[in-house]
Amino acid sequence: MTTFPTPRIDEVQALIAGQRWLDLRDQLSRWPAPEIADLLRELSAAERMLVFRVLPRTLAGDVFSYLEHDDQYELLTSLSQEETRLLLASLSPDDRTQLFEELPGQVTQKLLNLLSPTDLREARQLLGYPEESVGRLMTPDYVAVRPDWTIARALEHIRLRGRNSETIDVIYVTDDKWRLLDAVELRRFILAEPSQTVRSLMDESYVVLSAFDDRERAVEALRRYSLPALPVVDSDGVLVGIVTFDDLIDVAEEEVTEDFHRSAAVEPLRGNYLEIPVFELVQKRVPWLVALVFVNVFSGATIAAFQETIAAVVSLVFFLPLLIGSAGNAGSQSATLTVRAMATGDVRASDWWRLLLKELLVALLLGSAMAIAVGLLGVVRVGWQVAGVVALTMLILVLMGSLIGMSLPFILRRLGLDPATASGPLVTSLSDIGGVLIYFSLATYLLGI
Amino acid sequence: MTTFPTPRIDEVQALIAGQRWLDLRDQLSRWPAPEIADLLRELSAAERMLVFRVLPRTLAGDVFSYLEHDDQYELLTSLSQEETRLLLASLSPDDRTQLFEELPGQVTQKLLNLLSPTDLREARQLLGYPEESVGRLMTPDYVAVRPDWTIARALEHIRLRGRNSETIDVIYVTDDKWRLLDAVELRRFILAEPSQTVRSLMDESYVVLSAFDDRERAVEALRRYSLPALPVVDSDGVLVGIVTFDDLIDVAEEEVTEDFHRSAAVEPLRGNYLEIPVFELVQKRVPWLVALVFVNVFSGATIAAFQETIAAVVSLVFFLPLLIGSAGNAGSQSATLTVRAMATGDVRASDWWRLLLKELLVALLLGSAMAIAVGLLGVVRVGWQVAGVVALTMLILVLMGSLIGMSLPFILRRLGLDPATASGPLVTSLSDIGGVLIYFSLATYLLGI
């Protein structure tokens, strides 16, 4: 996929062994930051330091921001104060915020003291925004121009300020109080006549975020308008920074991971699964598991109520896992389809009725198919009477499971909860209760016990 | 989130009623394409046509590409041949490919005949690439320059070609045979001295895709290198097109949706959930459900083997759903955590052992917690003997479920299958079998039946 020579660890180690620092530096400069970050992960702590030290300043910053948190921490602890100062200076403000967020408080304090006055003010401001907010993602390094400038002057300004700005793909137009007036893509400047004014490029229709917006809103905006960067304003409409698409892609991935975890009744986890400590994993998994134990108790209680039936026709129990399992499976399918459709915006709260009718039809067809399958199995094993009960139960349970799975996300959202909490395990446990009740009631009645 | 006046349907309808086409056109031009697409969806078919007809040409193309497929189809059928010709011409090549992909074959043929010779050649070429390939996503509208040009000349060329190119955020350097030599961001041209040569900006390290690569590779590349656009070459290294980040974001979302569906044992579905016909939904859900019925049969058979035990101590059955349910829940958690970690690249095949040990520890802790919970419940209900059996079983089942859930994705990948097939329902059904077997064996043995 890539054409540059991807770093070969043995080559690098050879260069280190030979102390050929210049060659090493030269080699590394030809590789993109993510590759070097992966390489560092494979090296010994000592080698890692050596390689990191020979990296050109800015590249070092990029590479650092691609490292896992614990690798970052380890590096920081082994760097000299001066090296740390230089590293921090070479990080982009948004990467810096992310680093400070993740480090233990006192370490962050130490690092803040190493920042230049300007960077310090900046960092304090960014860290001032609520967690998960757009403010935490943004960088103040953008280029802004004034409406009355000519394109020529604007381009001159872009040349000057562009070097240390995160992106110049979009140029922002502000008034003299730095209030955002418009966002114009750099290409439009290139394609315009130098003598035109900036105003002539403005259409005053642009997407803007508040620094206090939840970062998910930024992701929605990216998906919807597919812009390389989005401007961020404070409550007075003053342009305080920008968020770039690459940061939002990372956020989007994190949010998706959280939804996956919820879908399996795991409290959302952050960071590399391999790095997460055992105790944290237990913490995130145990609440739902134990909660569901208590839900499942009702299935047990229901069965207890039917012990005569069971004692009379033990063969009924043979089909119990099959029946409640199928109800749960159908339910998980419906829940997942609905939750995901809500996440992508395909399904809105108002679509409930529409979906309900559709789901009924789908479940009816699914249930019939499975009733036939299990009925045939049953006849062979336990005769047509029990088989009939089992087949009928299967049909009803698949219907029930599907409806629970489809409706739960809507109910949760209505209650102001995250629809994604309608996890497979929750739906399964709920339909277990209903399943047991329906199964044994039907059996007791139809088999005249 | 947005500052432009978002379209208000009643205003639009008023303008239509008043036949104030110019005002309408003027209004619409100030809104971004996605907003107008949403607006169209709310209008009647007749109104939709009218509004669509007053849209400025290029905007019409953008709006069209944001519509749902059936809305696109409906529009196409009601447009005159000339209107269709103009619409097709205003679509970007990649949007055109997507449209042709989704329309019925003969319709696509009709449309192809309306294309200009150049567009036709282009379309045929793009449609020639395999489905789900990078070639289907790319657009040939890029700007390429030569290494020996000066920046000034390059910028001149960019101005000329830039208008009808999908993006100029990245400029491509090719030799005279159009073989790709480098990819350079526009900003670097802006920041460079006009007298410099293009070569002086080249570092020959760039990311490139093959038109035949699976589109997932393009998404990986976007995630990893966060570039606004990626160049695509044919087997001779000739630059045949580019893919832009916005198209890749859409692909990424589709891929995630497919993984969600797999996680619930649904064959991946495309398109808006509300629009998908009932029969297709059944088709996508029934295979796994029925397959799992046959898996669940083994649980039934196992129970049958233990009917004396059950007859002797009916109260054992009370805890059956609880126990196998918990095993399934723990298993779903592990499976989802592992599958997602594989999808994000956090976990590689080689990490199996490392994860296994960790999972053992986690499951042991989870199992103990739940054994205690269920044990206490049991003592109250059925005395310490059965309660003991239940608690011990719980511990073992949670261990078993977790290990099945964690290992299955690795096994599937090893078999060359998609790890995401290790769905909650599959894991649940598998651990049901083991659960029933372990539970009743322990009971028979410990209760000395």
Side-chain angles (χ1 to χ4, degrees), chain A residues 174-205:
Chain A
T174 64
D175 63 19
D176 48 11
K177 297 201 172 43
W178 289 91
R179 280 188 299 255
L180 182 63
L181 301 177
D182 207 346
V184 181
E185 296 197 326
L186 175 62
R187 48 185 309 180
R188 311 244 319 268
F189 284 84
I190 304 302
L191 303 177
E193 286 310 316
S195 56
Q196 277 176 258
T197 65
V198 170
R199 184 172 282 104
S200 67
L201 296 184
M202 295 167 61
D203 60 7
E204 261 127 41
S205 95

Side-chain angles (χ1 to χ4, degrees), chain A residues 1 35 38 208 225 276 358, chain B residues 1 35 208 225 276 358:
Chain A
M1 186 165 69
E35 308 294 339
D38 282 0
V208 63
Y225 305 101
I276 298 168
K358 198 167 176 180
Chain B
M1 184 165 70
E35 308 294 341
V208 63
Y225 304 101
I276 298 168
K358 197 169 178 179

Side-chain angles (χ1 to χ4, degrees), chain A residues 48-281:
Chain A
R48 196 176 299 138
M49 275 309 295
L50 290 165
V51 172
F52 193 76
R53 285 205 164 98
V54 299
L55 287 174
R57 182 83 50 78
T58 47
L59 184 53
D62 285 359
V63 170
F64 185 81
S65 62
Y66 276 105
L67 291 173
E68 297 285 340
H69 309 145
D70 22 15
D71 296 339
Q72 289 181 327
Y73 189 56
E74 185 219 292
L75 256 173
L76 279 173
T77 48
S78 36
L79 285 172
S80 79
Q81 206 183 55
E82 188 47 29
E83 287 171 321
T84 315
R85 185 194 306 280
L86 292 174
L87 173 62
L88 289 175
S90 71
L91 287 178
S92 68
D94 49 347
D95 290 338
R96 226 183 273 139
T97 318
Q98 220 192 351
L99 174 67
F100 293 151
E101 272 179 348
E102 274 133 10
L103 291 173
Q106 67 279 29
V107 182
T108 304
Q109 264 316 319
K110 275 212 205 74
L111 295 182
L112 284 171
N113 300 335
L114 295 176
L115 293 178
S116 73
T118 354
D119 289 352
L120 179 59
R121 207 177 320 108
E122 202 174 71
R124 289 206 186 288
Q125 193 211 353
L126 294 177
L127 287 167
Y129 293 106
E131 282 184 24
E132 309 264 300
S133 74
V134 169
R136 292 284 187 108
L137 292 175
M138 71 186 181
T139 168
D141 295 346
Y142 55 83
V143 179
V145 297
R146 303 261 182 276
D148 51 347
W149 290 2
T150 63
I151 300 297
R153 178 173 173 194
L155 282 172
E156 199 37 58
H157 180 72
I158 294 169
R159 274 197 198 84
L160 286 172
R161 298 276 289 96
R163 271 167 229 297
N164 24 29
S165 112
E166 176 110 353
T167 176
I168 58 173
D169 297 340
V170 185
I171 304 299
Y172 300 93
V173 188
T174 64
D175 63 19
D176 48 11
K177 297 201 172 43
W178 289 91
R179 280 188 299 255
L180 182 63
L181 301 177
D182 207 346
V184 181
E185 296 197 326
L186 175 62
R187 48 185 309 180
R188 311 244 319 268
F189 284 84
I190 304 302
L191 303 177
E193 286 310 316
S195 56
Q196 277 176 258
T197 65
V198 170
R199 184 172 282 104
S200 67
L201 296 184
M202 295 167 61
D203 60 7
E204 261 127 41
S205 95
Y206 56 96
V207 182
V208 63
L209 297 163
S210 151
F212 295 93
D213 280 338
D214 186 289
R215 57 185 206 158
E216 285 192 51
R217 295 207 60 186
V219 174
E220 285 164 30
L222 174 72
R223 283 230 183 76
R224 189 167 171 76
Y225 305 101
S226 51
L227 298 160
L230 293 161
V232 183
V233 297
D234 66 12
S235 38
D236 308 326
V238 170
L239 183 59
V240 287
I242 60 172
V243 269
T244 49
F245 77 95
D246 50 323
D247 297 326
L248 291 179
I249 287 174
D250 299 342
V251 173
E253 196 175 2
E254 275 181 31
E255 301 286 348
V256 165
T257 300
E258 292 184 0
D259 281 355
F260 265 107
H261 292 169
R262 288 199 192 86
S263 76
V266 178
E267 295 296 319
L269 281 159
R270 281 282 174 82
N272 187 324
Y273 184 43
L274 286 173
E275 314 297 339
I276 298 168
V278 167
F279 182 67
E280 188 180 346
L281 281 172

Side-chain angles (χ1 to χ4, degrees), chain B residues 208-435:
Chain B
V208 63
L209 297 163
S210 152
F212 295 94
D213 280 338
D214 186 290
R215 56 184 208 158
E216 283 192 51
R217 295 208 59 188
V219 175
E220 284 165 28
L222 174 72
R223 282 231 184 75
R224 190 167 172 75
Y225 304 101
S226 51
L227 298 161
L230 292 161
V232 183
V233 296
D234 66 13
S235 39
D236 308 326
V238 171
L239 182 59
V240 286
I242 59 172
V243 270
T244 49
F245 77 95
D246 50 324
D247 298 325
L248 291 179
I249 287 174
D250 299 342
V251 173
E253 196 174 2
E254 275 180 32
E255 300 286 348
V256 165
T257 301
E258 292 184 359
D259 280 355
F260 265 108
H261 292 170
R262 289 200 192 86
S263 76
V266 178
E267 294 296 319
L269 281 159
R270 281 281 173 83
N272 186 325
Y273 183 44
L274 287 172
E275 315 296 340
I276 298 168
V278 167
F279 182 67
E280 188 180 346
L281 282 172
V282 175
Q283 257 185 326
K284 299 293 189 176
R285 292 177 58 173
V286 86
W288 270 109
L289 286 182
V290 170
L292 292 172
V293 166
F294 289 94
V295 176
N296 278 310
V297 165
F298 290 98
S299 327
T302 320
I303 297 179
F306 286 99
Q307 47 184 313
E308 289 78 11
T309 311
I310 297 169
V313 192
V314 176
S315 61
L316 285 172
V317 182
F318 306 168
F319 297 92
L320 187 58
L322 172 57
L323 289 168
I324 62 181
S326 303
N329 294 343
S332 309
Q333 289 185 328
S334 310
T336 303
L337 285 168
T338 310
V339 168
R340 182 58 187 164
M342 283 180 165
T344 56
D346 285 354
V347 166
R348 300 195 188 77
S350 52
D351 296 319
W352 189 71
W353 277 106
R354 209 171 138 195
L355 267 191
L356 182 67
L357 297 177
K358 197 169 178 179
E359 188 68 27
L360 264 171
L361 204 55
V362 173
L364 209 58
L365 293 167
L366 290 175
S368 319
M370 295 169 70
I372 293 166
V374 75
L376 296 176
L377 284 168
V379 173
V380 196
R381 295 272 303 287
V382 294
W384 67 269
Q385 268 192 309
V386 174
V389 174
V390 170
L392 180 59
T393 310
M394 178 62 95
L395 175 59
I396 300 174
L397 291 202
V398 170
L399 262 172
M400 179 202 65
S402 304
L403 293 184
I404 293 177
M406 187 233 102
S407 311
L408 200 54
F410 285 95
I411 296 165
L412 289 166
R413 170 173 280 188
R414 172 63 58 88
L415 298 175
L417 301 168
D418 184 338
T421 323
S423 61
L426 177 57
V427 171
T428 306
S429 306
L430 289 178
S431 47
D432 278 357
I433 303 175

Side-chain angles (χ1 to χ4, degrees), chain B residues 65-251:
Chain B
S65 63
Y66 275 105
L67 291 173
E68 297 287 338
H69 308 145
D70 21 15
D71 297 338
Q72 290 182 326
Y73 189 57
E74 185 219 290
L75 256 174
L76 280 175
T77 48
S78 35
L79 285 173
S80 78
Q81 206 184 52
E82 188 47 29
E83 287 171 321
T84 315
R85 184 194 307 281
L86 293 173
L87 172 61
L88 288 176
S90 71
L91 288 178
S92 68
D94 48 347
D95 291 337
R96 226 183 274 140
T97 318
Q98 222 191 352
L99 174 67
F100 293 151
E101 272 179 346
E102 275 132 10
L103 292 172
Q106 67 279 29
V107 183
T108 304
Q109 265 316 320
K110 274 211 206 73
L111 294 183
L112 284 171
N113 301 335
L114 296 176
L115 293 178
S116 73
T118 354
D119 289 352
L120 179 60
R121 206 174 325 106
E122 202 174 72
R124 289 206 185 289
Q125 192 210 355
L126 294 177
L127 287 166
Y129 292 106
E131 282 183 25
E132 307 266 299
S133 75
V134 170
R136 290 286 186 106
L137 293 175
M138 73 187 179
T139 168
D141 296 345
Y142 55 83
V143 179
V145 297
R146 302 261 181 276
D148 50 347
W149 291 2
T150 62
I151 300 297
R153 177 172 175 197
L155 282 173
E156 200 37 57
H157 180 72
I158 293 169
R159 273 195 201 86
L160 286 172
R161 296 277 289 94
R163 270 167 230 299
N164 22 28
S165 111
E166 176 110 355
T167 174
I168 58 172
D169 297 339
V170 185
I171 304 299
Y172 300 93
V173 188
T174 64
D175 63 18
D176 48 12
K177 296 199 174 42
W178 290 92
R179 279 188 299 255
L180 182 64
L181 300 176
D182 206 349
V184 181
E185 297 198 324
L186 176 62
R187 49 185 308 183
R188 311 245 320 267
F189 284 84
I190 305 302
L191 303 177
E193 287 309 317
S195 56
Q196 276 175 258
T197 64
V198 170
R199 184 171 283 106
S200 66
L201 297 183
M202 294 167 62
D203 60 7
E204 261 126 40
S205 94
Y206 56 97
V207 181
V208 63
L209 297 163
S210 152
F212 295 94
D213 280 338
D214 186 290
R215 56 184 208 158
E216 283 192 51
R217 295 208 59 188
V219 175
E220 284 165 28
L222 174 72
R223 282 231 184 75
R224 190 167 172 75
Y225 304 101
S226 51
L227 298 161
L230 292 161
V232 183
V233 296
D234 66 13
S235 39
D236 308 326
V238 171
L239 182 59
V240 286
I242 59 172
V243 270
T244 49
F245 77 95
D246 50 324
D247 298 325
L248 291 179
I249 287 174
D250 299 342
V251 173

